[in-house]
Amino acid sequence: MRIIFIRHGRTRSNVDHLLDTAFPGAPLDDVGLEQAAGLSDRLAGEEIEVVMTSDILRARQTGEPLARALGVPVITHPGVREIQAGDWELDDEWGPYIDVLVSWRTDPTRSMPHGDSGVSFMARFDAAIDELSDYGCAAVVSHGAALRTWLSVRGDVTVHDDWVLGNTDTVVVEGARQTWKILSWAGRQITR
């Protein structure tokens, strides 16, 4: 199976560097709407059969135009939501949030205060991706921390701290279940 993971388009919260992780979340701004509109041209060479989006507004606004342009169904799924920041929601200081994400490499039981733990996040994201197993190629619109964290565990290469995922950047993977080969990251081919 092939999956094209897509980070949602830009929002005002992105511009203001706010931890916007809760439902329903900020909508796309004008730049984000343009980014979403351009996805179908960028992904025209892919044989996408379905688009799965997080149920958070900005992800739906990013994925629904792509699905319409390709004439494929949309699955809206809370399993590919952003990692919930809990008490740090809408904070502009990301350090504590990032520290917890990094700690999941050795202690996935640790939780955000009143938010996700590594165990709960991975279980929900895995379950959502497993629902795509009947498709040959899918696009999944999710969120920056969720994608970086899930791919750092399930991908076959080390996701380096400097591997940025900008708004509507893509990560292309191939594989099944919990074994995924990362082919490209934000347009850069991955060499082994």
Side-chain angles (χ1 to χ4, degrees):
M1 167 177 208
R2 183 176 179 90
I3 300 179
I4 299 99
F5 288 105
I6 305 163
R7 183 179 174 211
H8 62 78
R10 193 180 88 170
T11 69
R12 183 70 198 177
S13 295
N14 294 144
V15 173
D16 293 340
H17 303 286
L18 300 177
L19 273 170
D20 184 0
T21 67
F23 182 85
L28 296 180
D29 64 12
D30 289 342
V31 170
L33 291 168
E34 288 178 25
Q35 291 170 329
L39 277 174
S40 61
D41 288 340
R42 286 180 41 212
L43 300 176
E46 297 286 350
E47 296 180 12
I48 296 168
E49 300 168 46
V50 64
V51 174
M52 176 181 279
T53 75
S54 158
D55 61 346
I56 292 180
L57 179 59
R58 60 190 174 271
R60 292 192 340 260
Q61 288 180 309
T62 302
E64 289 170 353
L66 174 63
R68 274 194 307 276
L70 299 176
V72 299
V74 176
I75 299 169
T76 302
H77 202 299
V80 294
R81 266 188 190 179
E82 183 59 286
I83 297 169
Q84 302 299 288
D87 291 349
W88 299 320
E89 183 66 16
L90 295 178
D91 202 331
D92 64 355
E93 173 50 52
W94 287 58
Y97 179 79
I98 300 297
D99 289 346
V100 172
L101 297 180
V102 170
S103 78
W104 289 352
R105 295 174 186 163
T106 57
D107 183 9
T109 64
R110 188 167 172 206
S111 294
M112 301 289 172
H114 298 103
D116 282 323
S117 73
V119 172
S120 66
F121 164 71
M122 291 300 294
R124 73 172 161 85
F125 208 98
D126 283 342
I129 298 305
D130 285 349
E131 290 184 25
L132 297 172
S133 63
D134 291 337
Y135 297 97
C137 183
V140 175
V141 182
S142 186
H143 307 268
L147 291 173
R148 289 180 53 78
T149 301
W150 189 82
L151 288 162
S152 72
V153 174
R154 298 294 183 236
D156 68 326
V157 296
T158 300
V159 175
H160 297 281
D161 291 340
D162 64 345
W163 288 16
V164 176
L165 264 184
N167 295 111
T168 67
D169 277 350
T170 62
V171 178
V172 179
V173 303
E174 288 183 352
R177 302 280 307 161
Q178 296 182 5
T179 307
W180 297 95
K181 181 177 183 179
I182 299 176
L183 303 177
S184 67
W185 187 282
R188 186 181 76 217
Q189 299 302 309
I190 302 302
T191 55
R192 287 162 175 77

